[in-house]
Amino acid sequence: MTRGLAVVGAVGAAVVAGPGAGVSAAQGGGQGAAAGAAAFTEVRVWASGVNVRNAESGSAQFRICQNHPSRANCPVVATVSETTVTAYCQKQGEEIVDSGYRSRWWTYVESPSGPWGWVNNVYLVGDEHLAHVSDCTF
């Protein structure tokens, strides 16, 4: 289901602290990224009190969370409400159903307070799979 027109925009310099924690430089995004590599873009969170989920970088839980984003695998690291966030890539994980929408797709985003983590696409403006956000290669 479409929830409106997504906000799209290229983000300037790549923030290595987020995706770089579990992604090699060759897979990174931003300026000078190789063809087909993920690139930073903006997405709009339409709901209030949306959990951003991730695990501590370098921990065993981090790899589990990264491989299958879900409520069970990824603890809450931030909360966002009706805002635009920087997105890196998206991948399938736990299916979330809320407000009449459902999605197995999760997008890796930087919250306005700083932490990177996963947000289910149910809470992002656009289709279940966001056309303007790359699929994760990790």
Side-chain angles (χ1 to χ4, degrees), residues 79-102:
T79 304
V80 295
S81 296
E82 301 176 24
T83 190
T84 299
V85 293
T86 301
Y88 179 68
C89 64
Q90 63 187 330
K91 72 180 339 181
Q92 289 191 30
E94 175 190 12
E95 181 176 54
I96 300 296
V97 179
D98 195 358
S99 301
Y101 302 108
R102 67 178 51 236

Side-chain angles (χ1 to χ4, degrees), residues 8-30:
V8 181
V11 175
V15 179
V16 181
V23 181
S24 72
Q27 292 173 314

Side-chain angles (χ1 to χ4, degrees), residues 84-128:
T84 299
V85 293
T86 301
Y88 179 68
C89 64
Q90 63 187 330
K91 72 180 339 181
Q92 289 191 30
E94 175 190 12
E95 181 176 54
I96 300 296
V97 179
D98 195 358
S99 301
Y101 302 108
R102 67 178 51 236
S103 180
R104 287 193 165 284
W105 288 92
W106 293 70
T107 298
Y108 199 61
V109 304
E110 181 180 27
S111 66
S113 61
W116 282 84
W118 297 99
V119 170
N120 188 276
N121 288 7
V122 157
Y123 304 108
L124 303 178
V125 174
D127 292 326
E128 177 183 19

Side-chain angles (χ1 to χ4, degrees), residues 16 22 35 45 55 59 98 138:
V16 181
V45 177
S59 70
D98 195 358
F138 54 87

